[in-house]
């Protein structure tokens, strides 16, 4: 007789990624409802201001996480998710009260929306506990799959009638945190981080400026869609999000090796140029459609950004500090773009036709940066003592020290270098011109000598190895 065991045992984090994608979709759906939902805020300038307050709140909390490295604990009891849900509930509560016909001062609503932005950032920075398992392209695929499903969640939520739409806005962060807690409590944790943060923890100044400009472009695109939300079909928003996230998922399935964030930036630059050129030439009725195209580009690049940041932070003592460092720049740029468009609409309406040309100017600046100084990738870059990408940098020396310490052969040392970057056997075989079977044999011997059972544990050992740059 078959007996069911209702006590779920701990499972590998990779087996729980589909469940994690479903939980993450609730958070992404909440973001779309807040920024692009037609009924999330009152019509007119107040709606744009409330949404700007949400973006500012999200930016402020990421800055706090960046300034205080140990704000989010990687291990042990964590009260942050419950606190974040409470922050999000204020926005939904004020919406329900306003829908009931009771007067809510605008200042109170603005504060509630800013607090919801803070809560959103905290939950977003909690999710890497699940997705940050290795520098692997399929982890980014599951992350993007959650975003794609989030578009469906958004479509369902915005089609609910009051007060159910307001209730849904309150439930989405709660559901996201509930799934997060469930997954975290039912997975076997990976390797431990290093005792202290290693080198290269600062953001490249030029990289930060580049991401800031991209965020500015996306802020303009989001504002164009949100300001015309009354005549933008929510299904089209879902389609745009699905297109952006779907590209990320498709690349993870079809491309054999990891696609660097620098490559994603170059592709996004070309797409942004096309979107803003069309916005400049199109009439007012078509600007919202061009804005949707920019939203699709934003979705793709943001998931590429998060995937790279999670891979880069994996195994480090301050992972969420590293992730917030790379995310708050993007959110800050979005806030600047949104605020600029709102200022033009409010005080300089005659300048509205020039906004797309301003976007094209930003694209031109990004193109000049790309020509004069190629995009730099933070993720596992080989850096020298000055923090610049260089051959034979810290990463190579870490690998060499680990190989010497565990008495790996020369060929095993070469395989270790690729394993520490998250590469798979097929990719390594192509790079070293050996069979995949031979690579797997080397991997088996490396694991035996190092006493590890997974690639994540190997990455953690390499990342936590301290070296003095030579």
């Amino acid at each position: 007789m078959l007996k069911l065991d209702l006590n779920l045992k701990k499972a590998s984090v990779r087996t729980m990624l589909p469940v994690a994608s479903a939980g993450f979709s609730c958070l992404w759906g909440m973001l779309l409802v807040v920024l692009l939902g037609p009924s999330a805020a009152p019509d007119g300038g107040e709606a744009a201001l409330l949404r700007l307050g949400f973006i500012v709140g999200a930016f402020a909390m990421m800055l706090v996480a960046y300034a205080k490295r140990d704000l989010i604990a990687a291990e042990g009891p964590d009260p942050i998710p419950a606190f974040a849900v409470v922050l999000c509930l204020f926005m939904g509560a004020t919406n329900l009260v306003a829908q009931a016909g009771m007067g809510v001062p605008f200042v109170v609503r603005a504060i509630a929306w800013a607090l919801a932005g803070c809560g959103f950032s905290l939950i977003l920075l909690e999710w890497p506990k699940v997705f940050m398992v290795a520098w692997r392209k399929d982890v980014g695929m599951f992350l993007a799959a959650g975003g794609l499903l989030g578009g469906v969640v958004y479509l369902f939520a915005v089609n609910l009638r009051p007060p159910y739409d307001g209730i849904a806005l309150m439930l989405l962060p709660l559901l996201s945190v509930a799934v997060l807690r469930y997954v975290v409590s039912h997975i076997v944790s990976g390797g431990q981080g290093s005792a202290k943060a290693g080198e290269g923890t600062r953001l490249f100044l030029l990289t930060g400026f580049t991401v800031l400009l991209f965020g500015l472009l996306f802020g303009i695109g989001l504002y164009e869609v949100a300001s015309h939300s009354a005549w933008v079909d929510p299904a089209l928003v879902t389609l745009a999000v699905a297109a952006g996230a779907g590209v990320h998922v498709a690349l993870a399935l079809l491309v054999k090796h990891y696609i660097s964030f620098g490559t994603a930036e170059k592709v996004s630059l070309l797409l942004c140029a096309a979107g803003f050129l069309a916005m400049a030439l199109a009439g007012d009725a078509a600007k919202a459609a061009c804005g949707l195209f920019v939203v699709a580009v934003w979705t793709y690049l943001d998931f590429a950004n998060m995937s790279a940041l999670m891979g880069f932070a994996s195994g480090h003592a301050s992972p969420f500090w590293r992730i917030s460092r790379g995310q708050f720049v993007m959110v800050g740029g979005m806030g600047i773009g949104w605020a600029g468009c709102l200022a033009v609409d409010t005080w300089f309406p005659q300048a509205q036709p020039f906004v797309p040309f301003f976007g094209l100017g930003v694209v031109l600046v990004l193109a000049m940066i790309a020509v004069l100084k190629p995009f730099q990738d933070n993720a596992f870059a080989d850096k020298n003592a000055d923090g610049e990408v260089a051959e034979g940098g810290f990463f190579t020396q870490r690998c060499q020290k680990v190989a010497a310490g565990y008495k790996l052969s020369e060929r095993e040392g070469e395989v270790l270098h690729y394993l520490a970057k998250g590469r798979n056997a097929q990719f390594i075989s192509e790079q070293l011109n050996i069979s995949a079977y031979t690579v797997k044999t080397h991997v088996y011997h490396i694991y035996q000598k190092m006493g590890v059972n997974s690639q994540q544990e190997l990455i953690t050992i390499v990342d936590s190895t301290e070296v003095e740059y030579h």
Side-chain angles (χ1 to χ4, degrees):
M1 182 177 179
L2 180 63
K3 183 179 180 180
L4 295 176
D5 184 5
L6 298 179
N7 295 319
L8 180 64
K9 298 179 180 179
K10 286 187 177 292
S12 166
V13 64
R14 306 195 70 80
T15 64
M16 298 292 282
L17 285 177
V19 180
S21 294
F24 184 77
S25 70
C26 295
L27 182 67
W28 194 255
M30 169 195 168
L31 177 66
L32 295 175
V33 170
V34 170
L35 293 183
L36 303 176
S39 60
D43 295 330
E46 285 192 2
L49 277 173
L50 290 176
R51 286 165 169 149
L52 178 60
F54 180 89
I55 296 173
V56 170
F59 172 76
M61 185 51 67
M62 286 186 181
L63 268 182
V64 171
Y66 175 66
K68 187 173 176 55
R69 298 189 184 191
D70 57 351
L71 176 67
I72 298 179
E75 301 292 340
D78 187 3
I80 293 294
F83 176 66
V85 169
V86 173
L87 292 178
C88 293
L89 291 180
F90 287 114
M91 177 179 63
T94 56
N95 276 17
L96 288 176
V97 172
Q99 287 177 352
M102 301 173 61
V104 180
F106 176 77
V107 174
V108 174
R109 296 200 70 181
I111 293 174
W113 280 63
L115 291 176
C118 295
F120 170 83
S121 285
L122 288 175
I123 301 174
L124 181 67
L125 293 176
E126 286 282 343
W127 268 108
K129 290 184 176 180
V130 176
F131 289 105
M132 194 175 59
V133 295
W135 193 43
R136 295 277 297 272
K137 62 178 184 176
D138 59 335
V139 174
M141 177 190 74
F142 281 107
L143 187 70
L148 195 155
L149 185 59
V152 179
V153 173
Y154 156 83
L155 185 61
F156 172 77
V158 297
N159 280 293
L160 294 174
R161 295 182 178 178
Y164 302 107
D165 55 346
I167 295 174
L169 195 57
M170 298 175 69
L171 288 178
L172 288 177
L174 180 62
L175 289 173
S176 182
V177 168
V179 176
L180 171 68
R181 283 282 181 88
Y182 175 82
V183 173
V184 170
S185 64
H186 288 84
I187 60 175
V188 178
S189 60
Q192 302 296 317
S194 60
K196 62 179 181 178
E199 50 72 38
T201 56
R202 73 179 189 275
L203 181 68
F204 288 132
L205 181 61
L206 188 61
T207 303
F209 182 66
T210 299
V211 176
L212 178 76
L213 292 182
F214 269 111
L216 193 155
L217 293 175
F218 300 143
I220 296 174
L222 285 165
Y223 184 87
E224 284 293 337
V225 177
S227 60
H228 299 95
S229 60
W231 23 292
V232 172
D233 193 329
L236 294 178
V237 175
T238 299
L239 182 62
V241 171
V247 168
H248 198 287
V249 173
L251 290 174
L253 291 173
L254 300 176
V255 180
K256 292 183 179 180
H257 58 83
Y258 179 85
I259 297 177
S260 69
F261 181 59
T263 302
E265 284 180 316
K266 293 174 184 176
V267 173
S268 299
L269 178 61
L270 294 174
L271 294 175
C272 284
F276 278 92
L277 181 61
M279 192 182 298
L281 299 177
D284 291 338
K287 284 185 178 180
C290 298
L292 284 171
F293 181 81
V294 176
V295 167
V297 180
W298 161 62
T299 304
Y300 165 67
L301 187 63
D302 202 36
F303 281 119
N305 186 31
M306 284 192 284
S307 300
L309 289 169
M310 289 181 186
F312 178 53
S314 180
H316 287 277
S318 303
F320 309 105
W321 174 75
R322 289 168 174 263
I323 294 169
S324 62
R325 178 199 65 189
Q327 273 291 95
F328 84 77
V329 181
M330 176 80 79
V331 177
M334 290 169 57
I336 294 173
W338 190 288
C341 289
L342 179 60
V344 168
D345 275 353
T346 305
W347 295 304
F348 311 102
Q350 67 276 9
Q352 287 179 348
F354 299 100
V355 171
F357 293 99
F358 173 78
L360 284 174
V362 174
V363 170
L364 180 60
V365 172
L366 285 169
M368 292 175 63
I369 293 175
V371 172
L372 298 175
K373 185 77 172 178
F375 290 113
Q376 290 178 314
D377 283 311
N378 282 329
F380 293 96
D382 216 2
K383 304 183 185 73
N384 60 22
D386 297 324
E388 297 175 345
V389 177
E391 292 297 328
F394 279 107
F395 178 73
T396 297
Q397 293 189 24
R398 281 201 191 106
C399 291
Q400 291 171 349
K401 185 174 181 179
V402 170
Y406 288 96
K407 296 180 172 57
L408 303 183
S409 67
E410 182 178 352
R411 178 62 85 181
E412 288 170 349
E414 293 175 345
V415 174
L416 170 72
H417 186 276
Y418 288 106
L419 287 175
K421 286 192 173 183
R423 307 299 191 179
N424 58 25
Q426 182 62 40
F427 180 87
I428 298 173
S429 69
E430 294 172 358
Q431 295 299 307
L432 299 180
N433 293 318
I434 57 179
S435 69
Y437 176 80
T438 303
V439 172
K440 291 178 181 178
T441 301
H442 287 311
V443 172
Y444 174 79
H445 291 153
I446 292 171
Y447 280 18
Q448 290 292 309
K449 292 180 180 180
M450 295 181 63
V452 299
N453 297 310
S454 68
Q455 191 173 15
Q456 171 58 40
E457 294 179 37
L458 181 147
I459 291 172
T460 300
I461 290 175
V462 173
D463 283 348
S464 60
T465 300
E466 296 296 332
V467 295
E468 294 184 5
Y469 181 75
H470 299 293

